[in-house]
Tab-separated table of all heavy atoms in Angstrom:
chain	number	residue	atom	x	y	z
B	201	ASP	N	-14.338	-17.943	-11.580
B	201	ASP	CA	-14.581	-19.157	-12.355
B	201	ASP	C	-13.318	-19.906	-12.745
B	201	ASP	O	-13.382	-21.054	-13.169
B	201	ASP	CB	-15.378	-18.807	-13.618
B	201	ASP	CG	-16.639	-18.036	-13.282
B	201	ASP	OD1	-17.430	-18.550	-12.475
B	201	ASP	OD2	-16.815	-16.909	-13.797
B	202	GLY	N	-12.173	-19.237	-12.633
B	202	GLY	CA	-10.936	-19.922	-13.003
B	202	GLY	C	-9.731	-19.140	-12.526
B	202	GLY	O	-9.810	-17.934	-12.295
B	203	LEU	N	-8.622	-19.859	-12.357
B	203	LEU	CA	-7.403	-19.227	-11.852
B	203	LEU	C	-6.242	-19.422	-12.823
B	203	LEU	O	-5.989	-20.540	-13.289
B	203	LEU	CB	-7.008	-19.870	-10.519
B	203	LEU	CG	-7.688	-19.406	-9.237
B	203	LEU	CD1	-7.278	-20.324	-8.091
B	203	LEU	CD2	-7.306	-17.963	-8.921
B	204	LEU	N	-5.534	-18.334	-13.087
B	204	LEU	CA	-4.256	-18.419	-13.794
B	204	LEU	C	-3.209	-18.590	-12.702
B	204	LEU	O	-3.027	-17.690	-11.878
B	204	LEU	CB	-3.957	-17.101	-14.504
B	204	LEU	CG	-4.560	-16.762	-15.849
B	204	LEU	CD1	-4.082	-15.379	-16.259
B	204	LEU	CD2	-4.144	-17.778	-16.899
B	205	LEU	N	-2.528	-19.722	-12.679
B	205	LEU	CA	-1.556	-19.936	-11.597
B	205	LEU	C	-0.203	-19.333	-11.972
B	205	LEU	O	0.199	-19.343	-13.141
B	205	LEU	CB	-1.431	-21.427	-11.292
B	205	LEU	CG	-2.700	-22.057	-10.717
B	205	LEU	CD1	-2.501	-23.563	-10.503
B	205	LEU	CD2	-3.096	-21.388	-9.400
B	206	PRO	N	0.506	-18.812	-10.960
B	206	PRO	CA	1.727	-18.034	-11.198
B	206	PRO	C	2.926	-18.900	-11.579
B	206	PRO	O	3.462	-19.642	-10.758
B	206	PRO	CB	1.965	-17.348	-9.850
B	206	PRO	CG	1.314	-18.236	-8.846
B	206	PRO	CD	0.155	-18.896	-9.535
B	207	GLY	N	3.364	-18.766	-12.831
B	207	GLY	CA	4.410	-19.630	-13.383
B	207	GLY	C	5.685	-19.714	-12.564
B	207	GLY	O	6.231	-20.803	-12.370
B	208	HIS	N	6.150	-18.586	-12.064
B	208	HIS	CA	7.456	-18.654	-11.404
B	208	HIS	C	7.370	-19.121	-9.958
B	208	HIS	O	8.313	-19.712	-9.446
B	208	HIS	CB	8.220	-17.336	-11.592
B	208	HIS	CG	8.592	-17.147	-13.037
B	208	HIS	ND1	8.626	-15.933	-13.653
B	208	HIS	CD2	8.891	-18.066	-13.994
B	208	HIS	CE1	8.945	-16.101	-14.941
B	208	HIS	NE2	9.106	-17.392	-15.156
B	209	VAL	N	6.242	-18.905	-9.319
B	209	VAL	CA	6.025	-19.549	-8.016
B	209	VAL	C	5.995	-21.062	-8.245
B	209	VAL	O	6.652	-21.837	-7.545
B	209	VAL	CB	4.696	-19.078	-7.380
B	209	VAL	CG1	4.303	-19.977	-6.219
B	209	VAL	CG2	4.803	-17.628	-6.919
B	210	CYS	N	5.252	-21.481	-9.284
B	210	CYS	CA	5.103	-22.911	-9.576
B	210	CYS	C	6.420	-23.547	-10.021
B	210	CYS	O	6.611	-24.755	-9.851
B	210	CYS	CB	4.040	-23.143	-10.644
B	210	CYS	SG	2.390	-22.647	-10.117
B	211	SER	N	7.343	-22.767	-10.593
B	211	SER	CA	8.623	-23.360	-10.987
B	211	SER	C	9.340	-23.894	-9.749
B	211	SER	O	10.100	-24.846	-9.822
B	211	SER	CB	9.493	-22.345	-11.740
B	211	SER	OG	10.031	-21.383	-10.852
B	212	ILE	N	9.083	-23.303	-8.601
B	212	ILE	CA	9.678	-23.782	-7.351
B	212	ILE	C	8.789	-24.863	-6.711
B	212	ILE	O	9.249	-25.942	-6.374
B	212	ILE	CB	9.868	-22.615	-6.338
B	212	ILE	CG1	10.663	-21.461	-6.968
B	212	ILE	CG2	10.519	-23.120	-5.043
B	212	ILE	CD1	12.069	-21.764	-7.379
B	213	THR	N	7.496	-24.569	-6.565
B	213	THR	CA	6.602	-25.491	-5.837
B	213	THR	C	6.199	-26.706	-6.661
B	213	THR	O	5.864	-27.745	-6.109
B	213	THR	CB	5.281	-24.794	-5.453
B	213	THR	OG1	4.573	-24.461	-6.664
B	213	THR	CG2	5.510	-23.535	-4.651
B	214	GLY	N	6.209	-26.558	-7.983
B	214	GLY	CA	5.656	-27.590	-8.857
B	214	GLY	C	4.167	-27.368	-9.076
B	214	GLY	O	3.537	-26.575	-8.362
B	215	ARG	N	3.621	-28.078	-10.076
B	215	ARG	CA	2.194	-27.950	-10.388
B	215	ARG	C	1.321	-28.683	-9.386
B	215	ARG	O	0.260	-28.220	-8.972
B	215	ARG	CB	1.929	-28.503	-11.803
B	215	ARG	CG	0.496	-28.373	-12.287
B	215	ARG	CD	0.093	-29.481	-13.252
B	215	ARG	NE	0.178	-30.792	-12.630
B	215	ARG	CZ	-0.775	-31.323	-11.855
B	215	ARG	NH1	-1.898	-30.673	-11.646
B	215	ARG	NH2	-0.602	-32.519	-11.290
B	216	ALA	N	1.799	-29.861	-8.975
B	216	ALA	CA	0.939	-30.801	-8.248
B	216	ALA	C	0.409	-30.270	-6.907
B	216	ALA	O	-0.686	-30.646	-6.504
B	216	ALA	CB	1.677	-32.129	-8.039
B	217	VAL	N	1.146	-29.374	-6.229
B	217	VAL	CA	0.653	-28.875	-4.930
B	217	VAL	C	-0.654	-28.108	-5.074
B	217	VAL	O	-1.318	-27.840	-4.073
B	217	VAL	CB	1.623	-27.914	-4.191
B	217	VAL	CG1	2.774	-28.649	-3.582
B	217	VAL	CG2	2.086	-26.776	-5.062
B	218	PHE	N	-0.988	-27.713	-6.305
B	218	PHE	CA	-2.215	-26.938	-6.508
B	218	PHE	C	-3.404	-27.819	-6.909
B	218	PHE	O	-4.490	-27.315	-7.167
B	218	PHE	CB	-1.991	-25.827	-7.540
B	218	PHE	CG	-1.047	-24.763	-7.031
B	218	PHE	CD1	0.302	-24.782	-7.367
B	218	PHE	CD2	-1.502	-23.766	-6.183
B	218	PHE	CE1	1.181	-23.824	-6.872
B	218	PHE	CE2	-0.642	-22.807	-5.682
B	218	PHE	CZ	0.703	-22.830	-6.030
B	219	ASP	N	-3.202	-29.142	-6.954
B	219	ASP	CA	-4.287	-30.056	-7.331
B	219	ASP	C	-5.536	-29.894	-6.462
B	219	ASP	O	-6.641	-30.150	-6.920
B	219	ASP	CB	-3.798	-31.517	-7.261
B	219	ASP	CG	-3.231	-31.984	-8.597
B	219	ASP	OD1	-3.648	-31.427	-9.641
B	219	ASP	OD2	-2.377	-32.887	-8.599
B	220	PHE	N	-5.347	-29.451	-5.214
B	220	PHE	CA	-6.502	-29.302	-4.313
B	220	PHE	C	-7.536	-28.323	-4.876
B	220	PHE	O	-8.719	-28.423	-4.559
B	220	PHE	CB	-6.054	-28.842	-2.911
B	220	PHE	CG	-5.589	-27.409	-2.833
B	220	PHE	CD1	-6.477	-26.392	-2.475
B	220	PHE	CD2	-4.278	-27.061	-3.124
B	220	PHE	CE1	-6.068	-25.064	-2.408
B	220	PHE	CE2	-3.852	-25.738	-3.052
B	220	PHE	CZ	-4.744	-24.737	-2.705
B	221	LEU	N	-7.104	-27.402	-5.727
B	221	LEU	CA	-8.037	-26.405	-6.270
B	221	LEU	C	-9.137	-27.072	-7.093
B	221	LEU	O	-10.307	-26.691	-6.999
B	221	LEU	CB	-7.286	-25.388	-7.133
B	221	LEU	CG	-6.335	-24.457	-6.380
B	221	LEU	CD1	-5.415	-23.730	-7.349
B	221	LEU	CD2	-7.129	-23.457	-5.536
B	222	ALA	N	-8.758	-28.073	-7.878
B	222	ALA	CA	-9.752	-28.775	-8.686
B	222	ALA	C	-10.429	-29.867	-7.866
B	222	ALA	O	-11.643	-30.047	-7.919
B	222	ALA	CB	-9.090	-29.378	-9.919
B	223	ARG	N	-9.626	-30.573	-7.080
B	223	ARG	CA	-10.134	-31.719	-6.324
B	223	ARG	C	-11.157	-31.273	-5.274
B	223	ARG	O	-12.234	-31.826	-5.167
B	223	ARG	CB	-8.957	-32.416	-5.659
B	223	ARG	CG	-9.242	-33.835	-5.191
B	223	ARG	CD	-7.990	-34.447	-4.574
B	223	ARG	NE	-7.426	-33.588	-3.554
B	223	ARG	CZ	-6.133	-33.218	-3.516
B	223	ARG	NH1	-5.289	-33.639	-4.425
B	223	ARG	NH2	-5.701	-32.417	-2.555
B	224	GLU	N	-10.803	-30.246	-4.488
B	224	GLU	CA	-11.684	-29.852	-3.380
B	224	GLU	C	-12.665	-28.746	-3.743
B	224	GLU	O	-13.731	-28.660	-3.166
B	224	GLU	CB	-10.844	-29.424	-2.176
B	224	GLU	CG	-10.222	-30.622	-1.479
B	224	GLU	CD	-9.126	-30.222	-0.510
B	224	GLU	OE1	-9.314	-29.225	0.210
B	224	GLU	OE2	-8.078	-30.900	-0.501
B	225	TYR	N	-12.288	-27.881	-4.666
B	225	TYR	CA	-13.140	-26.712	-4.941
B	225	TYR	C	-13.652	-26.655	-6.383
B	225	TYR	O	-14.289	-25.681	-6.766
B	225	TYR	CB	-12.376	-25.427	-4.596
B	225	TYR	CG	-11.848	-25.423	-3.177
B	225	TYR	CD1	-10.489	-25.493	-2.924
B	225	TYR	CD2	-12.728	-25.376	-2.088
B	225	TYR	CE1	-10.002	-25.501	-1.623
B	225	TYR	CE2	-12.249	-25.392	-0.792
B	225	TYR	CZ	-10.884	-25.449	-0.562
B	225	TYR	OH	-10.402	-25.465	0.728
B	226	ARG	N	-13.306	-27.656	-7.187
B	226	ARG	CA	-13.727	-27.697	-8.601
B	226	ARG	C	-13.375	-26.397	-9.338
B	226	ARG	O	-14.164	-25.884	-10.139
B	226	ARG	CB	-15.231	-28.009	-8.712
B	226	ARG	CG	-15.598	-29.365	-8.116
B	226	ARG	CD	-16.998	-29.828	-8.512
B	226	ARG	NE	-17.267	-29.851	-9.952
B	226	ARG	CZ	-16.821	-30.792	-10.787
B	226	ARG	NH1	-16.081	-31.783	-10.350
B	226	ARG	NH2	-17.127	-30.728	-12.068
Side-chain angles (χ1 to χ4, degrees):
Chain B
D201 307 305
L203 278 172
L204 278 179
L205 294 177
H208 293 145
V209 166
C210 296
S211 74
I212 306 297
T213 65
R215 183 210 61 83
V217 285
F218 292 97
D219 269 334
F220 72 94
L221 292 167
R223 197 179 52 231
E224 286 166 42
Y225 305 111
R226 299 194 54 77

